[in-house]
Amino acid sequence: MLAYAAGDIAAFDALYARHKGGVYRYLLRQCRQSGVADELFQDVWLNLIRARSSYAPTAKFTTWLYRLAHNRLIDHYRASGHLTLVSADDEAHEDAIAALPGARSDDPRVRAENRELGERLRTPRVALPPAQREAFLLQQEGGLSLAEIAAVTGVGTETVKSRLRYALAKLRGDLVDLDDGLRESLG
């Protein structure tokens, strides 16, 4: 981001390529509407472009970027009268989510395994309270640390720990029949 702020346009391309999938999935799973997610996604990147001259690295770039996304979601919900963050794990968006490039691997076998696991996680994840679901998605999709999630959501680190602990306990309880290796990958 510092290179982009200094005028290196290619640096923006690198930032966009690295973070577009995770940011889009985060927005889509929170608002549940692909059209709205598309609009919010564009707004996040436009806000990044507008802020480039004033960008100051006070936190890790991903924390700052997901804070932009979080704030844009909050603005959207305030404007629309919906203040509850939700997860977009319904079947209507399955193809759009599956078509996004994977952040972890492009191996077709890994994608198939992840899709199968995603199907298994969908129902329990949707059942999580919104605050727990948001913390879980920021950690899993965004790769954010506890401190970074706290900075994005505007709550304390201990609150984030509690939300993640309760979310993971609920997910583990709902997925007790999965083999130990998959459960270990959840946390």
Side-chain angles (χ1 to χ4, degrees):
M1 183 63 187
L2 291 174
Y4 177 57
D8 182 359
I9 302 302
F12 175 83
D13 294 338
L15 289 172
Y16 183 78
R18 185 176 303 137
H19 299 287
K20 67 180 178 181
V23 170
Y24 185 78
R25 286 187 300 270
Y26 168 71
L27 292 168
L28 182 60
R29 289 182 175 154
Q30 290 291 17
C31 73
R32 299 185 63 155
Q33 299 171 0
S34 61
V36 173
D38 291 344
E39 180 181 329
L40 297 175
F41 181 75
Q42 286 182 348
D43 288 347
V44 168
W45 290 101
L46 286 172
N47 289 340
L48 180 141
I49 291 167
R50 286 184 197 115
R52 84 176 190 177
S53 63
S54 63
Y55 175 76
T58 57
K60 188 175 162 186
F61 172 75
T62 52
T63 303
W64 182 77
L65 177 61
Y66 279 90
R67 184 66 167 169
L68 288 178
H70 171 81
N71 289 344
R72 186 58 191 98
L73 272 167
I74 297 302
D75 291 345
H76 165 72
Y77 288 123
R78 284 183 182 144
S80 67
H82 304 311
L83 295 176
T84 304
L85 298 177
V86 295
S87 180
D89 291 330
D90 63 277
E91 310 237 338
H93 304 293
E94 182 177 351
D95 293 334
I97 292 171
L100 292 172
R104 293 189 178 98
S105 175
D106 288 331
D107 182 354
R109 286 179 298 182
V110 171
R111 282 189 189 185
E113 290 169 3
N114 286 343
R115 187 179 187 123
E116 187 175 313
L117 181 59
E119 291 295 322
R120 291 292 316 276
L121 286 172
R122 176 169 291 139
T123 301
R125 189 172 60 221
V126 169
L128 290 174
Q132 290 176 17
R133 185 173 47 247
E134 180 177 35
F136 178 78
L137 289 172
L138 285 169
Q139 183 185 53
Q140 296 299 309
E141 292 291 348
L144 274 61
S145 69
L146 296 176
E148 293 166 338
I149 295 169
V152 167
T153 58
V155 299
T157 305
E158 291 302 317
T159 302
V160 172
K161 281 184 189 178
S162 294
R163 289 175 180 176
L164 286 172
R165 183 176 57 247
Y166 288 124
L168 290 173
K170 177 151 181 40
L171 290 172
R172 283 186 184 116
D174 290 346
L175 301 169
V176 72
D177 62 318
L178 289 178
D179 77 271
D180 290 333
L182 289 176
R183 280 189 284 128
E184 288 298 318
S185 72
L186 289 174

